[in-house]
């Protein structure tokens, strides 16, 4: 089955530690995204990548880093510089419009990772 | 600036009632996409509908219907004969038809359908 997987589902970290959240997709999508969701709020864009080896900052990139070495994978590292990292993190992917895909800009989401800083 | 407003934070209805979730958006773009997503308690966002700015036709899919009105910058979502399984958080989102690929989300409306 095609889809997006995120691991782990729940993650606990001690203050001051870096932690990496995994996101893998087998949909052959060019673009991938990371969002953060806080209770009672909408999703806010952290980083996005339109193509392998390239990524752009979103609205709240401070304290986060990403890499895009493979088309299928877009891991997010939450660094110790992120002041308030406890949140629900969602990864998404979408096809590139250059392929003429009819669902241009429709993003498909993974199940999310809930990060708690102790 | 581009923005999506979902003024209803939480709505509670009794099963079989009809319910409308409001969405108002702001954009200076002449072309854009609008979306609705459902987020059940499991957390994963489920795509419901995509509408481009050129298509103001209302759409119906089973118990779901959407009313897009460019004149009032609104894209409202109605559930007819609501069911307990409809309980979730619903997000409206806006995407410009450019190369940014971004989705701009509203803050969501939590719908509780009571038996």
């Amino acid at each position: 089955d095609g889809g997006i997987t995120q691991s782990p589902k729940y993650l606990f970290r001690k203050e001051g530690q870096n932690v990496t959240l995994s996101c893998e997709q087998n949909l052959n999508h060019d673009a991938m995204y990371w969002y953060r969701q806080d209770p009672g709020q909408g999703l806010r864009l952290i980083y996005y990548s339109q193509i392998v080896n390239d990524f752009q900052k979103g609205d709240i990139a401070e304290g986060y880093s990403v890499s895009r070495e493979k088309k299928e994978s877009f891991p997010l590292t939450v660094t110790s510089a992120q002041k308030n990292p406890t949140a629900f993190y969602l990864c998404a992917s979408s096809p590139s419009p250059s392929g003429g895909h009819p669902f241009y800009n429709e993003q498909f989401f993974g199940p999310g990772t809930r990060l708690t800083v102790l | 600036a581009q923005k999506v407003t979902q003024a209803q934070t939480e709505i509670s209805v009794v099963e079989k009632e009809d319910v409308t979730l409001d969405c108002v958006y702001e954009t200076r773009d002449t072309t854009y996409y609008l979306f609705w997503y459902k987020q059940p308690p499991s957390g994963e966002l489920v795509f419901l509908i995509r509408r481009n700015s050129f298509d103001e036709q209302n759409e119906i899919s089973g118990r779901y219907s959407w009313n897009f009105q460019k004149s009032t910058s609104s894209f409202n979502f109605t559930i007819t004969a609501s069911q307990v399984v409809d309980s979730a958080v619903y997000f409206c989102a806006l995407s410009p038809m450019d190369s940014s690929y971004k989705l701009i989300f509203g803050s969501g409306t939590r719908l509780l359908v009571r038996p």
Side-chain angles (χ1 to χ4, degrees), chain A residues 15-30:
Chain A
E15 214 168 319
Q17 286 181 338
N18 291 357
V19 62
T20 297
L21 282 59
S22 166
C23 177
E24 304 277 332
Q25 54 99 0
N26 61 4
L27 300 167
N28 199 33
H29 285 169
D30 289 312

Side-chain angles (χ1 to χ4, degrees), chain B:
Chain B
Q2 299 181 349
K3 185 181 175 183
V4 176
T5 300
Q6 295 179 258
Q8 302 152 308
T9 306
E10 191 165 320
I11 300 175
S12 181
V13 300
V14 175
E15 206 169 17
K16 296 183 184 176
E17 281 185 24
D18 298 347
V19 58
T20 295
L21 309 182
D22 297 332
C23 173
V24 174
Y25 62 92
E26 295 174 31
T27 181
R28 290 182 180 173
D29 295 335
T30 54
T31 55
Y32 47 89
Y33 278 113
L34 294 165
F35 298 80
W36 276 95
Y37 283 88
K38 174 182 180 179
Q39 186 178 41
S42 61
E44 184 172 347
L45 263 72
V46 177
F47 167 81
L48 295 178
I49 191 172
R50 174 183 59 111
R51 170 71 69 219
N52 74 55
S53 52
F54 296 123
D55 184 2
E56 287 194 69
Q57 268 194 326
N58 291 332
E59 180 154 342
I60 299 175
S61 176
R63 297 183 298 108
Y64 294 171
S65 63
W66 291 270
N67 182 1
F68 175 32
Q69 291 196 342
K70 241 174 154 176
S71 59
T72 56
S73 297
S74 65
F75 186 42
N76 296 339
F77 172 32
T78 297
I79 302 175
T80 303
S82 60
Q83 300 175 1
V84 173
V85 293
D86 294 328
S87 297
V89 180
Y90 291 86
F91 290 98
C92 180
L94 165 72
S95 179
M97 231 184 262
D98 63 18
S99 60
S100 72
Y101 295 26
K102 291 182 184 178
L103 276 179
I104 300 161
F105 284 87
S107 55
T109 296
R110 181 177 298 278
L111 175 63
L112 175 63
V113 182
R114 309 188 309 274

